[in-house]
């Protein structure tokens, strides 16, 4: 509800814009919302986070879109709330900032490495009882909150801001 009516029918999709021609191409569509997206380092793929079911909006999955074929594959299994993603320098893994929802909305977000070939997810910060996201609650953070998006740099280091 946005003060003038329900907005559940509005969706967030991915679009590709050719800067020179101004031509816009819609890349995704359906009954889901794209929350975050990231181009692979070689520019051939886009990893994106999607809320697939508005009744379970805490579940956010990761998908890979191959731009040449428009083939989409789901790489997570409805068991995480993923807030951001970044590609490894060689584009074979993804860095996820996600929580396993063991305490529902009160769960800490940790960093994970997702191997795209095997599908194996390895926790990086799970052993620490700390959140990798800086937030208190949506009512107290104000309109100027900046979300941290961990970055996997070309030197192999991972930075969290």
């Amino acid at each position: 509800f946005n003060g003038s009516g329900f907005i559940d029918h509005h969706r967030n999709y991915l679009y590709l814009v050719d800067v020179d021609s101004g031509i816009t191409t819609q890349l995704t569509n359906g009954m889901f919302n794209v929350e975050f997206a990231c181009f692979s380092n070689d520019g051939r793929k886009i990893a994106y986070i999607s809320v697939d079911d508005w009744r379970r909006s805490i579940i956010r999955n990761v998908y890979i879109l191959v731009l040449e074929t428009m083939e989409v594959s789901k790489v997570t299994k409805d068991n995480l709330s993923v807030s951001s993603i970044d590609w490894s320098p060689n584009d074979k893994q993804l860095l996820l900032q996600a929580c396993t929802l063991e305490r529902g909305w009160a769960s800490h977000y940790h960093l994970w490495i997702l191997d795209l070939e095997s599908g194996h997810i390895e926790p990086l910060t799970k052993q620490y009882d700390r959140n990798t996201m800086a937030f208190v609650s949506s009512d107290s953070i104000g309109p100027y909150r900046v979300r941290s998006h961990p970055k996997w740099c070309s030197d192999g280091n991972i930075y969290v801001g």
Side-chain angles (χ1 to χ4, degrees):
F1 194 79
N2 68 354
S4 63
F6 288 98
I7 57 173
D8 291 338
H9 62 283
H10 294 285
R11 299 285 177 230
N12 300 322
Y13 298 124
L14 287 179
Y15 290 84
L16 190 61
V17 178
D18 184 308
V19 177
D20 295 326
S21 69
I23 295 173
T24 302
T25 306
Q26 186 172 341
L27 301 177
T28 60
N29 61 25
M31 293 298 293
F32 59 87
N33 285 315
V34 174
E35 298 280 317
F36 186 83
C38 183
F39 275 93
S40 61
N41 294 301
D42 65 11
R44 296 179 182 172
K45 300 175 185 173
I46 300 175
Y48 65 90
I49 299 169
S50 173
V51 175
D52 301 335
D53 184 352
W54 64 270
R55 293 169 300 223
R56 295 179 41 209
S57 62
I58 193 170
I59 303 293
R60 290 174 168 87
N61 285 301
V62 177
Y63 291 82
I64 305 291
L65 169 65
V66 179
L67 291 170
E68 187 176 329
T69 63
M70 297 305 288
E71 179 185 328
V72 175
S73 58
K74 185 176 181 178
V75 295
T76 55
K77 299 178 171 80
D78 295 321
N79 60 346
L80 295 172
S81 182
V82 182
S83 67
S84 71
I85 47 180
D86 196 25
W87 291 86
S88 66
N90 65 6
D91 290 336
K92 294 183 179 186
Q93 298 171 312
L94 286 176
L95 173 66
L96 310 179
Q97 187 174 39
C99 71
T100 56
L101 306 168
E102 65 269 9
R103 292 184 295 242
W105 286 104
S107 301
H108 287 316
Y109 280 77
H110 294 284
L111 298 181
W112 307 76
I113 300 292
L114 170 61
D115 185 90
L116 294 172
E117 187 175 312
S118 70
H120 178 72
I121 299 178
E122 182 74 29
L124 291 181
T125 61
K126 188 102 171 115
Q127 70 272 23
Y128 306 116
D129 186 28
R130 296 291 180 264
N131 209 340
T132 61
M133 288 182 66
F135 64 86
V136 178
S137 109
S138 60
D139 292 337
S140 64
I141 53 178
Y144 304 108
R145 180 186 97 174
V146 176
R147 270 189 139 163
S148 67
H149 296 290
K151 182 72 180 147
W152 200 336
C153 295
S154 59
D155 63 6
N157 288 318
I158 295 171
Y159 296 95
V160 181

